[in-house]
Amino acid sequence: MSLFAMGFLLVILQPCAGQFPRACANTESLLRKECCPPWVGDGSPCGELSGRGSCQDILLSQAPLGPQYPFSGVDDRENWPSVFYNRMCQCKGNFMGFNCGECKFGFSGVRCTERRLRRRRNIFQLTRSEKDKFLAYLNLAKSTPSRDYVIATGTYAQMSNGYNPMFQNINVYDLFVWMHYYASRDTLLGGSKVWRDVDFAHEAPGFLPWHRVFLLLWEREIQKITGDEHFTIPYWDWRDAKSCVVCTDEYMGGRHPTNPNLLSPASFFSSWQVICTRSEEYNSQQALCNAASEGPILRNPGNNDKSRTPRLPSSAEVEFCLSLTQYESGSMDKMANYSFRNTLEGFADPHTAISNTSQSGLHNALHIYMNGSMSEVKGSANDPIFVLHHAFVDSIFERWLRRHRPLREVYPAANAPIGHNRESYMVPFIPLYRNGDYFISSRELGYDYEYLEERALGSFQDFLVPYLEQARQIWAWLVGAAVTGGIITALLTGIALACKKKRSGTSAEIQPLLVESEDYNNMSYQSNL
């Protein structure tokens, strides 16, 4: 085999998901607080001999946090990942991974220098063979043990501060279910006490970047276990849907003929077992979810609380959300008003953008509508509809980014809830990803959405929308300015004519200019504006 081919295989087979790397889930690594595994390509830590990276101290954000979490030193997720590790691989250039053995999102090749753009497609636009392949990949992920990652089954204190490691194996699909649980679980305070007002992936600015990284990692892990480097997550466009149109045996599983809370036995999803759904049991035991099976997927779409979620979201609600110019506002949590993030997440009314926690809109609406495993935050990723749903939510985020073109600095640098500041690392991903680094266009991360490519002809209109919206808000001022400008122009014209008439009897040598030509042009421009 050629050196090029060997190098290429080393790149595409490298670990790429995120939780505790198997290579660092041991007493030595925990006591040294160091996770710098060797890259298989040259055997050196972080691939340092090949110039891929080096083992460095982790620099944590010192920006102040919001008031929602009043504790310090009681939760392993605080200042992630410093409770477990304070030295990790810092990769160079386009290299990425816990050992710098892979490429950043959007890059490929032996040296990670080749740009690549993949397309996520509507699940109903897939051919039958493409759809069947996607379903088969999901089932494969559910039955394939993760080669490179393990999960923690105890807190750092329960691990005797590293002397007694508590980790166990998990399959690829459930690895991501567990990570979603871990990011959103309650803080254990000892005894039977917990703090519920904490979430490192929801109810704050990081909601959209966090789920963007989650999907990218999930997508790449599927590419790795299947060898299909072209795989992308399909999305479900649920706007204006009258029912759960993906809830059929042909797609994500139909309704059981005798028990409406279960899936049809004709779907292989009916045999799936859920994990991490018993939060109150874990809290009472002051324990973490250990990924034990807890029963089948539950789903009863449409039979939800109609007073909270009367129907699935509409196109008009999505368009209103996209018109909001502020990404984040106020308290930067679920009480934020006029916040694009809070409105899309579903804690603000999709018609007014005013916070209303008694209702569930947009993203939250679909979770509630599914009326089952999807409806409980911590275990919601158990239902495979989760990835279809969040891919579409991510596409709405992408539309907002393209329409409003915010600078990275628009993402809050400080005073957001814990884990959500711009420079905070996302819990519980290893390698590390900062919130602000994923507040960018999906095309910079190597993927696009099929329906957004089709909208390319209307991109100029999307570009103008925010400016037209601003003009609408100040139309009265513009009309007044135009009238004032007209009056001033008429006065200047009259003065100019009078001066011209007077000049006809005056020597050119002693006649002054009314105004310098450059100043006159500027005056006219300002008056018209």
Side-chain angles (χ1 to χ4, degrees), residues 405-421:
R405 303 178 184 232
L407 298 175
R408 186 176 185 272
E409 286 70 27
V410 167
Y411 188 98
N415 301 313
I418 186 170
H420 289 266
N421 280 340

Side-chain angles (χ1 to χ4, degrees), residues 26-27 30-31 154-167:
N26 54 69
T27 301
L30 292 172
L31 294 181
T155 65
Y156 191 67
Q158 291 168 348
M159 296 185 195
S160 302
N161 298 328
Y163 283 97
N164 179 34
M166 298 172 65
F167 299 99

Side-chain angles (χ1 to χ4, degrees), residues 45 105 117 128 165 221 242 280 283 292 350 371 402 464 467-468 480:
F105 302 120
L117 186 69
R128 183 181 183 87
E221 192 71 5
K242 303 303 181 185
E280 295 307 314
N283 289 346
N371 194 30
R402 295 185 191 183
L464 287 179
Y467 301 101
L468 294 174

Side-chain angles (χ1 to χ4, degrees), residues 446-476:
Y447 71 99
D448 203 348
Y449 288 94
E450 185 176 49
Y451 83 107
L452 297 187
E453 291 180 333
E454 294 169 355
R455 291 173 55 88
L457 293 176
S459 59
F460 182 67
Q461 177 184 346
D462 286 347
F463 175 74
L464 287 179
V465 164
Y467 301 101
L468 294 174
E469 177 64 19
Q470 292 176 29
R472 183 189 66 79
Q473 295 171 3
I474 60 173
W475 70 270

Side-chain angles (χ1 to χ4, degrees), residues 6-284:
M6 290 179 63
F8 180 75
L9 285 173
L10 288 174
V11 169
I12 65 172
L13 292 177
Q14 284 303 307
C16 54
Q19 222 323 286
F20 291 94
R22 188 180 299 276
C24 301
N26 54 69
T27 301
E28 181 182 3
S29 295
L30 292 172
L31 294 181
R32 294 176 60 187
K33 286 186 173 292
E34 181 176 292
C35 183
C36 295
W39 175 53
V40 66
D42 63 13
S44 67
C46 313
E48 185 170 11
L49 293 178
S50 300
R52 303 179 80 91
S54 59
C55 194
Q56 301 284 336
D57 292 342
I58 298 170
L59 300 179
L60 298 173
S61 170
Q62 301 301 314
L65 304 173
Q68 295 86 352
Y69 182 80
F71 306 101
S72 178
V74 299
D75 193 315
D76 292 346
R77 299 169 296 179
E78 297 174 28
N79 292 312
W80 181 262
S82 61
V83 168
F84 296 96
Y85 311 108
N86 53 34
R87 283 175 61 81
M88 300 185 78
C89 289
Q90 181 173 323
C91 305
K92 300 177 181 178
N94 295 329
F95 298 117
M96 189 178 80
F98 63 73
N99 61 0
C100 301
E102 59 180 276
C103 299
K104 285 184 177 179
F105 302 120
F107 290 89
S108 62
V110 176
R111 298 296 297 175
C112 301
T113 55
E114 301 169 18
R115 274 282 189 184
R116 172 168 291 180
L117 186 69
R118 297 182 175 91
R119 181 192 299 114
R120 291 179 181 171
R121 299 168 59 198
N122 188 320
I123 191 167
F124 292 113
Q125 299 300 318
L126 301 181
T127 65
R128 183 181 183 87
S129 62
E130 289 170 335
K131 180 263 298 177
D132 290 345
K133 183 167 65 173
F134 167 63
L135 299 180
Y137 285 177
L138 286 172
N139 217 31
L140 178 64
K142 188 73 170 177
S143 60
T144 302
S146 175
R147 186 188 67 179
D148 302 303
Y149 286 90
V150 293
I151 61 168
T153 56
T155 65
Y156 191 67
Q158 291 168 348
M159 296 185 195
S160 302
N161 298 328
Y163 283 97
N164 179 34
M166 298 172 65
F167 299 99
Q168 76 174 39
N169 296 325
I170 193 168
N171 68 61
V172 170
Y173 188 93
D174 286 349
L175 170 66
F176 287 86
V177 176
W178 191 93
M179 288 194 290
H180 191 265
Y181 147 80
Y182 189 83
S184 55
R185 69 175 178 84
D186 301 330
T187 291
L188 307 178
L189 297 176
S192 59
K193 296 179 180 179
V194 297
W195 184 259
R196 301 181 188 278
D197 191 14
V198 62
D199 196 314
F200 289 80
H202 304 84
E203 302 180 14
F207 166 68
L208 292 167
W210 190 96
H211 285 83
R212 170 163 283 194
V213 170
F214 179 91
L215 292 179
L216 282 166
L217 293 172
W218 191 90
E219 199 168 56
R220 188 174 281 192
E221 192 71 5
I222 296 296
Q223 293 166 0
K224 185 174 71 173
I225 65 172
T226 62
D228 183 357
E229 62 180 28
H230 301 292
F231 169 78
T232 56
I233 299 170
Y235 58 86
W236 171 29
D237 183 348
W238 34 248
R239 292 173 296 179
D240 305 314
K242 303 303 181 185
S243 64
C244 179
V245 291
V246 297
C247 296
T248 66
D249 289 336
E250 184 182 359
Y251 287 92
M252 310 308 292
R255 197 186 300 269
H256 194 282
T258 60
N259 187 337
N261 295 314
L262 297 178
L263 301 186
S264 164
S267 167
F268 54 60
F269 295 124
S270 65
S271 65
W272 280 25
Q273 291 284 302
V274 301
I275 65 170
C276 302
T277 62
R278 300 175 180 172
S279 297
E280 295 307 314
E281 180 180 317
Y282 314 145
N283 289 346
S284 65

Side-chain angles (χ1 to χ4, degrees), residues 185-440:
R185 69 175 178 84
D186 301 330
T187 291
L188 307 178
L189 297 176
S192 59
K193 296 179 180 179
V194 297
W195 184 259
R196 301 181 188 278
D197 191 14
V198 62
D199 196 314
F200 289 80
H202 304 84
E203 302 180 14
F207 166 68
L208 292 167
W210 190 96
H211 285 83
R212 170 163 283 194
V213 170
F214 179 91
L215 292 179
L216 282 166
L217 293 172
W218 191 90
E219 199 168 56
R220 188 174 281 192
E221 192 71 5
I222 296 296
Q223 293 166 0
K224 185 174 71 173
I225 65 172
T226 62
D228 183 357
E229 62 180 28
H230 301 292
F231 169 78
T232 56
I233 299 170
Y235 58 86
W236 171 29
D237 183 348
W238 34 248
R239 292 173 296 179
D240 305 314
K242 303 303 181 185
S243 64
C244 179
V245 291
V246 297
C247 296
T248 66
D249 289 336
E250 184 182 359
Y251 287 92
M252 310 308 292
R255 197 186 300 269
H256 194 282
T258 60
N259 187 337
N261 295 314
L262 297 178
L263 301 186
S264 164
S267 167
F268 54 60
F269 295 124
S270 65
S271 65
W272 280 25
Q273 291 284 302
V274 301
I275 65 170
C276 302
T277 62
R278 300 175 180 172
S279 297
E280 295 307 314
E281 180 180 317
Y282 314 145
N283 289 346
S284 65
Q285 298 173 358
Q286 294 287 292
L288 300 183
C289 165
N290 63 6
S293 297
E294 296 173 350
I297 294 174
L298 300 179
R299 188 197 300 156
N300 191 350
N303 289 325
N304 57 290
D305 181 357
K306 295 296 194 298
S307 64
R308 172 173 287 276
T309 303
R311 54 171 172 74
L312 290 170
S314 69
S315 296
E317 290 169 341
V318 171
E319 291 304 317
F320 172 79
C321 183
L322 287 167
S323 74
L324 299 171
T325 58
Q326 296 183 83
Y327 178 75
E328 198 54 90
S329 66
S331 57
M332 297 185 280
D333 56 18
K334 61 184 176 183
M335 302 306 294
N337 296 325
Y338 308 112
S339 156
F340 165 74
R341 186 277 313 163
N342 202 36
T343 305
L344 178 55
E345 189 169 359
F347 293 107
D349 190 296
H351 305 96
T352 64
I354 301 298
S355 172
N356 183 357
T357 55
S358 68
Q359 300 287 306
S360 294
L362 295 179
H363 156 266
N364 287 350
L366 190 125
H367 279 279
I368 298 299
Y369 181 88
M370 288 300 159
N371 194 30
S373 301
M374 274 274 282
S375 306
E376 194 272 328
V377 175
K378 300 170 184 62
S380 58
N382 277 294
D383 191 326
I385 290 178
F386 180 95
V387 292
L388 304 180
H389 170 45
H390 272 276
F392 190 65
V393 171
D394 183 72
S395 78
I396 299 173
F397 177 35
E398 182 61 23
R399 287 183 64 187
W400 187 88
L401 289 172
R402 295 185 191 183
R403 177 178 294 190
H404 298 280
R405 303 178 184 232
L407 298 175
R408 186 176 185 272
E409 286 70 27
V410 167
Y411 188 98
N415 301 313
I418 186 170
H420 289 266
N421 280 340
R422 185 193 305 155
E423 302 303 323
S424 297
Y425 292 116
M426 299 178 185
V427 175
F429 302 135
I430 297 176
L432 305 177
Y433 307 94
R434 289 189 178 93
N435 291 310
D437 291 342
Y438 292 85
F439 192 68
I440 58 175

